[in-house]
Amino acid sequence: MKARATIVSAMISLGLGFSLPNIGAVAETIESAYAISLATVGLFTTAVSLTHSLGQIPGGGLVDRFGAKRIAILGTTIVCTANALALLAPEPALAIPCRALIGVGTSMAFVAASIYVR
């Protein structure tokens, strides 16, 4: 059972980890696709990083209350849904709140995955 929990936790962490920093490598492409400045592209990463950092302690409380498995699933669902919504249109007004939601989901899922492995 310990090996399964470790594998599941690693898969959650690796899969969601791609939602955090994936903007920097393609900043110029996003700049032209969204017709915005590079500073605005930086807000995409800031939105994720800020909400991810702020959400870890509350995420731990949710794990304590509802269990690691449920919160890992909820966090993953939030990330997938927010990514899907962000694909609807190349609009910063849509992308930045979606990226903030991604940070909420990743914070919950990372905390849950690390606790689930125990």
Side-chain angles (χ1 to χ4, degrees), residues 23 27-28 30-32 34-44 92 96:
I23 297 297
E28 288 86 13
I30 291 174
E31 176 187 32
S32 64
Y34 281 74
I36 56 177
S37 69
L38 278 175
T40 305
V41 174
L43 291 175
F44 290 13
I96 292 171

Side-chain angles (χ1 to χ4, degrees), residues 22 51 65:
N22 64 359
T51 55
R65 184 172 178 157

Side-chain angles (χ1 to χ4, degrees), residues 12-69:
I12 291 169
S13 298
L14 288 172
L16 297 178
F18 284 102
S19 291
L20 288 173
N22 64 359
I23 297 297
V26 292
E28 288 86 13
T29 304
I30 291 174
E31 176 187 32
S32 64
Y34 281 74
I36 56 177
S37 69
L38 278 175
T40 305
V41 174
L43 291 175
F44 290 13
T45 301
T46 301
V48 173
S49 300
L50 183 63
T51 55
H52 178 86
S53 298
L54 294 175
Q56 288 184 2
I57 292 174
L62 289 172
V63 169
D64 290 343
R65 184 172 178 157
F66 299 108
K69 184 177 179 180

